[in-house]
Amino acid sequence: RDLLHQFEATRADLELANTDRNRALMANENLQRALEDFQSERDAEIELLTEQRTSAEEAIAAAHATTLEALRESHAAELRDVQFAADRSIKSTLAEMDKLESTLQECRKDNLNLRRALDEAIARLGRSQEDVVDRSIIKNIILDWHMKK
């Protein structure tokens, strides 16, 4: 009878141990599922954040590309304006140079004509004996007048 009682006690202990084991297994499975759920949520959040970051980077890249293109167009327009102004300035300078060259040629012609007239006047003074005015004074006056002009 003691053996039977011991057997019953052992069987009860075994059932209790099996129940505890089953509960521990169930708790372990529940914890494992909860961990997997957390891991899945974490992976989904990481994927979402990665997609958001990629989307934001693409948007920033597109905005930068648009800004860069706008700057290029703006600079191209400014460059055209500067080139047009430079072309106008060059044309104006060339026209002024032509005008100055023409004026220089006229001045050279006038100078040559004055020099000839002066040489002729000096030659006449040298040939003429009728004058009572000192010829060297007149020559100096004419030379001074020509030099000042």
Side-chain angles (χ1 to χ4, degrees):
R1 193 163 208 213
D2 197 24
L3 213 46
L4 187 59
H5 186 357
Q6 203 178 15
F7 176 71
E8 290 294 325
T10 303
R11 181 181 263 181
D13 286 342
L14 180 62
E15 281 183 33
L16 187 60
N18 276 336
T19 304
D20 285 345
R21 183 182 64 85
N22 287 340
R23 275 192 223 155
L25 286 174
M26 179 72 77
N28 190 25
E29 287 175 11
N30 288 340
L31 287 174
Q32 187 65 33
R33 268 190 254 120
L35 181 62
E36 289 172 359
D37 289 344
F38 282 136
Q39 187 66 31
S40 295
E41 286 180 24
R42 187 176 141 259
D43 290 343
E45 286 176 2
I46 288 173
E47 186 177 332
L48 180 64
L49 290 173
T50 302
E51 287 175 4
Q52 288 175 347
R53 182 181 52 88
T54 303
S55 172
E57 287 174 352
E58 289 172 354
I60 289 171
H64 286 164
T66 302
T67 302
L68 186 61
E69 185 60 31
L71 280 173
R72 281 185 183 137
E73 290 175 6
S74 171
H75 289 155
E78 288 177 17
L79 188 60
R80 281 190 303 272
D81 292 345
V82 168
Q83 186 66 39
F84 180 73
D87 289 346
R88 268 191 297 144
S89 176
I90 289 171
K91 286 178 184 176
S92 171
T93 303
L94 289 175
E96 188 175 336
M97 282 178 56
D98 289 343
K99 181 180 171 186
L100 287 174
E101 285 178 8
S102 172
T103 303
L104 180 63
Q105 290 298 328
E106 288 177 21
C107 288
R108 284 183 180 163
K109 285 179 186 177
D110 289 346
N111 188 25
L112 184 62
N113 289 336
L114 283 174
R115 185 69 187 164
R116 284 183 191 152
L118 180 63
D119 288 343
E120 185 180 326
I122 290 172
R124 268 194 250 143
L125 279 175
R127 281 181 274 156
S128 171
Q129 298 294 328
E130 301 170 1
D131 292 335
V132 282
V133 179
D134 188 12
R135 289 183 183 105
S136 65
I137 292 175
I138 293 175
K139 183 167 71 171
N140 287 337
I141 290 172
I142 292 172
L143 287 172
D144 284 345
W145 176 79
H146 184 341
M147 293 292 200
K148 289 180 183 177
K149 194 173 183 184

